[in-house]
Amino acid sequence: DRAIMDAIEVGVPLFNGGDARGCGEVYSAALKRLLEQKTLIAGTWSHRLATAAISRAAQQDPVAGAWTLRRAMDSILRCLALAGERGGQ
């Protein structure tokens, strides 16, 4: 999904520049937007992963939280790519 790719493009330079908190906020906002817009359909693996990652990251230090969110986004991207190859989610 383009929203995830855009978040990564913004978040990586923040993280690499030492702003792990800002990076995590960008990643979290992107996942929350996908949930609110119902891009990640309730009950699906991607929806559950995004929800769990947001919750977990909120309890972690900024570096660990940013990584939790990034790994979730990478997994969701792979899932969406596979679904697209198979003709649906």
Side-chain angles (χ1 to χ4, degrees), residues 11-83:
V12 167
L14 289 173
F15 188 91
N16 290 342
D19 187 5
R21 185 176 311 280
C23 173
E25 289 171 358
V26 169
Y27 291 171
S28 182
L31 289 173
K32 287 176 182 176
R33 211 168 22 257
L34 292 173
L35 293 169
E36 290 166 2
Q37 294 172 349
K38 299 188 185 348
T39 302
L40 303 178
I41 300 166
T44 63
W45 175 85
S46 296
H47 186 280
R48 289 190 302 272
L49 178 60
T51 302
I54 291 166
S55 177
R56 175 79 174 134
Q59 299 172 18
Q60 295 175 307
D61 68 79
V63 172
W67 275 113
T68 294
L69 295 164
R70 174 59 190 268
R71 289 182 184 113
M73 291 192 309
D74 288 344
S75 295
I76 291 167
L77 280 174
R78 283 193 298 277
C79 179
L80 293 175
L82 285 172

